[in-house]
């Protein structure tokens, strides 16, 4: 019994691995379907009677499928991965430079959260604004990657999205504590 995977030779490209087009605006149901098909194929129970080598390959494919799936499912990770495939490292640890307007917006949000942390309607309105900003940024990232193929711009937008996402989690926690 040998391990059959969608495209094991494409393990260096998660999109090819799942038989998907390399794009930011991904077909999530198709990703789920491809992932489940691979997991079913490489499930340890299917290879219990196989050789040690077959069992090891099945385990490696299952691990690869998990990593690839988690990467492609998350918009930020997917975007960073696409940039990386095209030789652009977002340098998240070292490059924190952001446009001034973006930083001003972040500071406004932060002040609003700090000053209004007990005011549920204000926080909910702020969450709407943050979610809107997140949605707009995702549209810009899609345009940068799938449209313009401008991976440098996409990396900048992804860094911004990380900030927005982190703030949204903090805001959500603050709102949850009030309810």
């Amino acid at each position: 019994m040998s391990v059959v995977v969608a495209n094991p030779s494409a393990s260096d490209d998660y999109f090819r691995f799942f038989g998907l087009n390399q794009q930011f605006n991904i077909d999530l149901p198709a990703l789920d379907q491809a992932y489940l098909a691979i997991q079913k194929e490489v499930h340890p129970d299917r290879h219990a009677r196989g050789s040690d080598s077959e069992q090891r390959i099945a385990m490696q494919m299952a691990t690869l499928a998990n990593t690839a799936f988690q990467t492609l499912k998350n918009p930020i990770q997917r975007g960073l991965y696409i940039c990386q495939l095209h030789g652009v490292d977002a340098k998240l640890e070292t490059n924190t430079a952001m446009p001034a307007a973006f930083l001003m917006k972040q500071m406004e949000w932060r002040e609003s959260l700090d000053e209004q942390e007990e005011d549920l309607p204000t926080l909910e309105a702020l969450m709407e604004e943050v979610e809107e900003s997140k949605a707009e940024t995702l549209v810009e990232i899609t345009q940068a990657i799938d449209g313009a193929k401008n991976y440098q711009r996409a990396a900048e937008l992804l860094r911004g999205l990380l900030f927005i996402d982190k703030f949204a989690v903090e805001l959500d926690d603050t709102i949850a504590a009030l309810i």
Side-chain angles (χ1 to χ4, degrees):
M1 178 192 271
S2 67
V3 177
V4 181
V5 176
N7 189 353
S9 65
S11 59
D12 59 333
D13 180 334
Y14 296 163
F15 291 94
R16 280 203 353 241
F17 181 74
F18 288 123
L20 299 170
N21 291 331
Q22 186 190 115
Q23 59 189 46
F24 184 73
N25 190 8
I26 195 170
D27 182 347
L28 288 171
L31 173 63
D32 286 341
Q33 215 172 358
Y35 172 70
L36 291 173
I38 290 171
Q39 285 298 34
K40 196 167 149 188
E41 196 61 45
V42 297
H43 194 277
D45 292 349
R46 290 197 63 159
H47 302 281
R49 292 198 194 94
S51 68
D52 286 350
S53 165
E54 286 171 341
Q55 288 178 13
R56 189 174 60 255
I57 290 169
M59 179 58 88
Q60 288 170 345
M61 284 297 136
T63 302
L64 174 62
N66 281 332
T67 302
F69 180 69
Q70 294 305 326
T71 300
L72 297 186
K73 197 173 123 173
N74 177 299
I76 295 174
Q77 296 306 318
R78 178 171 61 246
L80 292 172
Y81 179 71
I82 292 172
C83 289
Q84 183 188 322
L85 286 176
H86 291 273
V88 175
D89 177 2
K91 297 184 175 65
L92 298 177
E93 300 79 25
T94 56
N95 187 346
T96 54
M98 290 286 157
F102 180 83
L103 292 174
M104 291 303 291
K105 178 58 71 185
Q106 290 289 309
M107 286 168 54
E108 279 175 36
W109 287 351
R110 173 77 40 217
E111 282 175 24
S112 189
L113 176 60
D114 292 345
E115 291 168 8
Q116 310 289 328
E117 61 185 325
E118 302 294 321
D119 184 348
L120 190 56
T122 301
L123 294 180
E124 286 174 337
L126 180 59
M127 182 57 101
E128 276 182 42
E129 186 183 328
V130 170
E131 290 298 329
E132 196 175 296
S133 179
K134 186 175 176 176
E136 288 168 5
T137 305
L138 283 167
V139 166
E140 285 186 67
I141 292 168
T142 302
Q143 289 166 346
I145 292 176
D146 296 349
K149 309 281 185 235
N150 184 343
Y151 305 105
Q152 206 63 52
R153 174 73 178 132
E156 290 166 17
L157 290 164
L158 286 157
R159 281 197 305 274
L161 186 56
L162 268 172
F163 275 97
I164 295 168
D165 226 28
K166 192 174 174 188
F167 182 78
V169 168
E170 194 177 327
L171 179 54
D172 196 45
D173 289 347
T174 304
I175 290 171
L178 290 177
I179 298 175

